[in-house]
Amino acid sequence: MRTERSPRAAGEPMTIIRTEHALAGWLPGACAALLAACAQDPAPVPKAVFILVDGIPADVIESVATPGIDAIAAEGGYTRAYVGGEIGGESESPTVSAVGYMSLLTGTWAHKHNVVDNAVEAPDYRYWDIFRIAKANDPALRTALFSTWTDNRTKLLGDGLEAAGGKKLDYAFDGLELGATEHSVEEEIEFIRAIDRRVAAEAARYIRAEGPDLSWVYLQHTDDVAHEFGDGPELAAAVREMDALVAAIRAAVSERQAHFDEDWLVIVTTDHGRDAETGRDHGGHSPRERTTWIATNSRRLNGRFADEPAIVDILPSIAAHLGIGVPDPIVAALDGSTFIE
């Protein structure tokens, strides 16, 4: 993984020189038609997919070969980021998985969204998630979720719950972990690994075939491996396998862009780091537990991206790319700012 922190500069704007008088005597009909066609040519349709891969600290993603994520970052950029809010401040949030997911989804820290652990007992749905914002802006926008953990849909997003904004997902692929029999630790790791593969395969298939406007892909296997083995070759192998799944999703996006007039944003990130001693644990506020990373293909990155953004900056960045309006009360509640112009 490359570790450059500065985003690629955008190209210089094209200067349009008006030449109506010069063209007046030379094929005026053809020129007028050409100018009219250019003026009416619509912009590519913006679409976005964010991929959350669980529990990979920045030093690991930077030390393991990840050609899939590298290819995404080569188009836009890679940066270290952080989770956990302000240490000692009101926004201090546990560096725990569901807490991180909800901070990404709502652009707020735990003192607002009220998800403080993986039990997700009482989310505060007054802080809108990105799918609710998208649907409120344009109900015709098509949304999708591909997840190894069903609670992402039923609890965090609260899809279908009136308090959470009602039905927000047009397509969901999850629930593969439900009804499973008891597993040993080793069997459970392999079980989740197989689910990750199916989730990523379905995400790639659906994106290629349907081109949803906003999608979330969640993959869990890396966190399970880290909890069992900590830092070491097992985690490195899980990261490489995860990267191959991300590459397959990116390939589907590339096919869409090759065949349709679409402008796709891809963001890949993680929800927390790990403890420095073993790499098995997380939840506290050590530098390694708080330090995460973001890779994206966006070519419109601003200075915030290079200056260690937070996980709460991802929601406003997705909204900026999609060009969706965020209601003023929701904007006022956000703890993040866009890193995409």
Side-chain angles (χ1 to χ4, degrees), residues 49 51 67-69 71-72 75 200-201 203-209 243-260 262 264 266 268 297:
V49 54
I51 306 171
I69 294 176
I72 292 169
E75 296 180 23
R205 184 204 69 79
Y206 191 83
I207 287 172
R208 183 180 289 108
D243 182 70
L245 302 182
V246 170
I249 296 168
R250 175 181 176 269
V253 168
S254 297
E255 286 189 32
R256 291 291 307 185
Q257 294 195 132
H259 294 95
F260 299 92
E262 296 172 349
W264 280 79
V266 180
V268 189
N297 68 336

Side-chain angles (χ1 to χ4, degrees), residues 237-296:
V239 169
R240 287 192 293 269
E241 181 165 352
M242 172 278 300
D243 182 70
L245 302 182
V246 170
I249 296 168
R250 175 181 176 269
V253 168
S254 297
E255 286 189 32
R256 291 291 307 185
Q257 294 195 132
H259 294 95
F260 299 92
D261 194 20
E262 296 172 349
D263 177 18
W264 280 79
L265 170 69
V266 180
I267 292 177
V268 189
T269 191
T270 194
D271 51 342
H272 55 75
R274 312 205 74 83
D275 73 282
E277 290 73 23
T278 66
R280 287 189 170 91
D281 299 318
H282 58 86
H285 286 276
S286 69
R288 193 176 189 229
E289 288 169 287
R290 290 173 55 85
T291 302
T292 59
W293 50 274
I294 300 171
T296 179

